[in-house]
Amino acid sequence: MRALVLTGPGEAEVQEVEPPVAGPGEVVVDVERAGVCGTDVELFTGHMSYLRTGRSWYPLRPGHEWCGRVTAVGEGVDGGWLGRRVTGDTMLGCGRCGRCRAGHHHVCADLAEIGISRGRAGALAERLAVPAAALHRLPESVDPALGALAEPGGNALRAVRAAALDPGERLLVLGTGTIGLLVALFARAHGIDVHLMGRDEAGLRLAAELGFTGAWTRASLPSLPWHAVVDAANSPELPALAVDLVEPARRVVYIGLAATPSRLDTRDLVLKDVTAVGILGGSAGLSGAIAAYASGSVDARPLVAATVGLAETADVLAGRRPAAAAPKIHVDPRR
């Protein structure tokens, strides 16, 4: 089968590789759609920290935002999965440790991540092997674009839940990339008054097109009581700004990651009695994201700028992407 392979920093090519076989407890999925994520770009450029710590290595087959149809099941797997449209959890814990047993498999010490770490092949390929325990069924009403947005949607939904806001309260989202816009969409579906702050004019325009009248730059941001702030950007200055902007005794949620360390004065947290929450992975939000897509309460499809073929993916990773305001590029590996 064809798969995208990262062979070194800045090097990627489509190769003919052996197709996956469903081992015990696994299924094989024919991939319908896969998203290109900032993590994939970091793995391509060589800037991903996992490459320095030994958690990831080349050659590497990326892709962790995906959907498809089950075409084979391994030993011990319910045959009812055959033919089902599915997506899946990126985070694969050992299933045995205290963290996994407590429902925190996404921070398991032996965590493997599909398309990211510990040699687990990803979904930028025609087929993918996945543990059946990681699968989530997709209703037929959830099309491939939404199916491949389930993983980032799960992340965004977890951030909204962590903000702990009631309907009508005011949320400020820092960042107008895929995660920032998804946070805004899920928060609005919960009845929250959503505002966004960004520096990318295209992202701010898209936010306005999505119906968010409160789309601001730092210079134009109004002085309003922000009942929660979600940092969904990649600037090392924004974590401290989030604490500065949020109302005392409220919450800041950190889901964005900067390329360099951020500085945050914990005295500001203490003196404002602010709760800071970090979000890693969409595991606990996948079911909710899929349900929101299926019900129509969240339509994230306008976030997809284009769908390209597997052969064009290396160009996308290198920054040569179709010109569009929308932040997300999808790949159809069947092309």
Side-chain angles (χ1 to χ4, degrees), residues 10 13 18 36 53 64 68 105 110 113 118 134 172 192 197 199 205 207 225 242 244 260 263 268 278 291 296 312 327:
E13 61 186 24
E18 287 297 316
V36 177
T53 62
H64 60 277
H105 67 276
D110 292 323
E113 297 156 276
R118 302 196 189 275
L172 178 63
I192 295 166
M197 189 192 89
R199 60 186 180 188
R205 284 197 304 273
D244 183 53
T260 56
R263 291 191 174 184
D268 294 332
E312 302 163 83

Side-chain angles (χ1 to χ4, degrees), residues 165-166 168-172 192-195 224-228:
L165 293 178
D166 292 326
E169 292 190 302
R170 189 177 296 112
L171 171 68
L172 178 63
I192 295 166
D193 178 17
V194 182
H195 296 246
L224 294 171
W226 306 110
H227 301 123

Side-chain angles (χ1 to χ4, degrees), residues 131-143:
L135 295 177
H136 289 256
R137 295 185 182 186
L138 290 179
E140 292 296 334
S141 60
V142 176
D143 67 14

Side-chain angles (χ1 to χ4, degrees), residues 87-89 91 103 105-106 136 149-162 186 190 279-293:
T87 187
D89 196 342
M91 310 296 215
H105 67 276
H106 61 296
H136 289 256
L149 285 165
E151 194 275 342
N155 278 272
L157 179 55
R158 287 194 65 213
V160 172
R161 290 171 175 168
F186 279 97
H190 284 74
I279 298 296
L280 174 68
S283 301
L286 285 170
S287 294
I290 293 166
Y293 293 159

Side-chain angles (χ1 to χ4, degrees), residues 90-109:
T90 300
M91 310 296 215
L92 309 179
C94 71
R96 302 178 301 275
C97 69
R99 295 175 191 174
C100 287
R101 292 198 304 272
H104 305 312
H105 67 276
H106 61 296
V107 288
C108 172

Side-chain angles (χ1 to χ4, degrees), residues 149 175-186 188-189 194 196 202-215 297-304 325-328:
L149 285 165
T176 55
T178 299
I179 295 297
L181 291 169
L182 281 168
V183 169
L185 289 169
F186 279 97
R188 183 170 64 185
V194 182
L196 298 102
L204 290 169
R205 284 197 304 273
L206 179 56
E209 291 169 8
L210 291 169
F212 295 103
T213 55
S297 64
V298 173
D299 184 1
R301 288 172 292 188
L303 275 58
V304 180
K328 178 62 68 176

Side-chain angles (χ1 to χ4, degrees), residues 230-294:
V230 174
D231 176 12
N234 57 8
S235 168
E237 291 80 30
L238 290 185
L241 179 63
V243 175
D244 183 53
L245 292 172
V246 75
E247 281 286 284
R250 292 302 192 124
R251 291 188 169 212
V252 292
V253 180
Y254 296 113
I255 191 169
L257 287 173
T260 56
S262 304
R263 291 191 174 184
L264 177 62
D265 191 336
T266 57
R267 292 174 296 183
D268 294 332
L269 285 173
V270 172
L271 294 173
K272 290 187 72 172
D273 196 25
V274 167
T275 299
V277 183
I279 298 296
L280 174 68
S283 301
L286 285 170
S287 294
I290 293 166
Y293 293 159

